[in-house]
Amino acid sequence: MSLTNNVSDDEERSGGRPSEPDSFDSQRAFQPDDISVRLISVGDQTLNVAVKRGAGDRPPLLLFNGIGANWELTRPFLAALKGTTAIIFDIPGVGGSPTPGLPYRPSSMARLAKRLVVQLGYDRIDVAGVSWGGGLAQQFAHQYPTICRKLVLAATSPGAIMVPGSPWVLRKMATPRRYVDKDYIRSIAGEIYGGAFRRNPALINGHAAAMGGARGVGYLYQLLAMVGWTSLPWLWSIRQPTLVMMGREDPLVPPINGRILARLIPNAKLEMIDDGHLFLVTRPVECAALIEKFLATDGAG
């Protein structure tokens, strides 16, 4: 399977949208914490899609996850959302989404995500991205400004041109070993994620138990997707109200990267979190409340 899109954006706008959104088949979905999960075919790519149903009437929040991360790792954050409908899918080659036949670029992944939300029946969404997924979120906002209403960037950077983390930490991120070897992730979590995982190593146990998606080729494709990619030349063109969230103790993506994003995106607000790289996991209630407040206000707040 390839992520090469055989339907143009013009074709999607004129006739590609289905008359009704996909339903979440109860026989193929399960409902813990009001989260429905099913496989959805978007063109020639099958995606494992999770939807947390919210009670509010705002546009849904499309969430792009970190490198190698299956959607289940976001469950604490999804469960903490009060009124927001959230959509997240496993990136092809991760979790329940089959590996594509060819590598992809952020632009083609953003196009795939856009086709998914249109297929689900939405023409206006908010977008959030965590770490690696923050690059995709920036690309989506830039590529589809009329669809993306607001933008949330968590623990992320402008891409290849960034202030890098520790070389030792980056070496540990070069392979998916931490996703398949639970003893290994327990031994290095504090050093690569920092914050609460460093202060309380036992916290990694629950997170490690939810890991189960990274595959060699899929992980490689994620690494290749961001080779040479940077948002710096066009950050000024992102007009959506943007919330940038960074961990003060993040050894992987130093917080200065968030300051750069907030400075270059015209309508951006920076929030510093007293934690490490995975603050959405270790502080889900606090972060969900902060994000929902931002989504509910006019402008960047």
Side-chain angles (χ1 to χ4, degrees):
M1 291 178 290
S2 168
L3 290 184
T4 302
N5 290 277
N6 51 24
V7 178
S8 70
D9 289 345
D10 289 337
E11 288 172 328
E12 289 175 356
R13 282 192 292 268
S14 62
R17 181 174 177 174
S19 57
E20 296 181 358
D22 280 2
S23 62
F24 279 71
D25 189 329
S26 61
Q27 293 183 343
R28 300 180 61 192
F30 58 91
Q31 308 287 334
D33 302 322
D34 299 321
I35 300 173
S36 301
V37 184
R38 66 166 293 184
L39 296 176
I40 297 178
S41 294
V42 182
D44 57 358
Q45 175 67 54
T46 299
L47 297 175
N48 191 41
V49 183
V51 175
K52 162 68 184 292
R53 300 293 182 182
D57 57 0
R58 290 191 304 271
L61 178 67
L62 173 66
L63 178 61
F64 292 108
N65 214 346
I67 189 168
N70 47 302
W71 80 264
E72 288 89 348
L73 295 175
T74 66
R75 189 187 297 277
F77 172 74
L78 296 178
L81 292 172
K82 298 297 185 182
T84 303
T85 291
I87 304 167
I88 184 170
F89 64 92
D90 289 336
I91 295 296
V94 175
S97 295
T99 304
L102 295 172
Y104 50 82
R105 296 297 290 169
S107 57
S108 59
M109 189 57 61
R111 190 173 300 114
L112 180 71
K114 183 249 188 178
R115 294 179 67 188
L116 171 66
V117 297
V118 169
Q119 193 165 315
L120 290 174
Y122 300 108
D123 56 13
R124 189 77 163 155
I125 60 171
D126 297 319
V127 177
V130 182
S131 192
W132 182 92
L136 287 189
Q138 293 169 64
Q139 181 70 44
F140 192 102
H142 173 65
Q143 200 163 316
Y144 300 111
T146 62
I147 296 176
C148 177
R149 183 185 73 114
K150 287 193 172 188
L151 179 63
V152 179
L153 302 175
T156 193
S157 76
I161 303 176
M162 64 173 286
V163 179
S166 157
W168 186 92
V169 170
L170 296 177
R171 283 199 301 271
K172 299 295 182 182
M173 298 292 292
T175 75
R177 182 182 173 189
R178 69 189 187 282
Y179 285 107
V180 297
D181 186 338
K182 303 300 173 63
D183 291 333
Y184 179 68
I185 185 56
R186 292 185 181 100
S187 70
I188 66 168
E191 293 174 90
I192 65 172
Y193 297 136
F197 285 121
R198 181 175 290 156
R199 293 189 292 271
N200 183 4
L203 285 177
I204 194 59
N205 292 330
H207 188 67
M211 291 179 172
R215 296 188 288 277
V217 174
Y219 196 88
L220 176 62
Y221 282 178
Q222 285 191 282
L223 289 174
L224 291 175
M226 292 298 178
V227 171
W229 179 90
T230 179
S231 59
L232 281 178
W234 43 260
L235 281 176
W236 62 270
S237 71
I238 293 180
R239 300 297 173 178
Q240 293 93 335
T242 301
L243 175 64
V244 180
M245 304 170 68
M246 300 297 293
R248 295 185 190 275
E249 308 166 54
D250 188 343
L252 184 59
V253 183
I256 189 174
N257 290 285
R259 298 187 187 281
I260 293 170
L261 290 170
R263 177 65 65 87
L264 296 180
I265 297 173
N267 192 14
K269 172 186 177 181
L270 176 64
E271 289 282 352
M272 299 299 297
I273 310 296
D274 291 324
D275 211 326
H277 188 67
L278 295 184
F279 50 81
L280 288 185
V281 173
T282 55
R283 295 173 176 249
V285 175
E286 174 186 338
C287 291
L290 186 63
I291 290 172
E292 290 196 290
K293 180 180 178 181
F294 164 72
L295 296 179
T297 58
D298 294 329

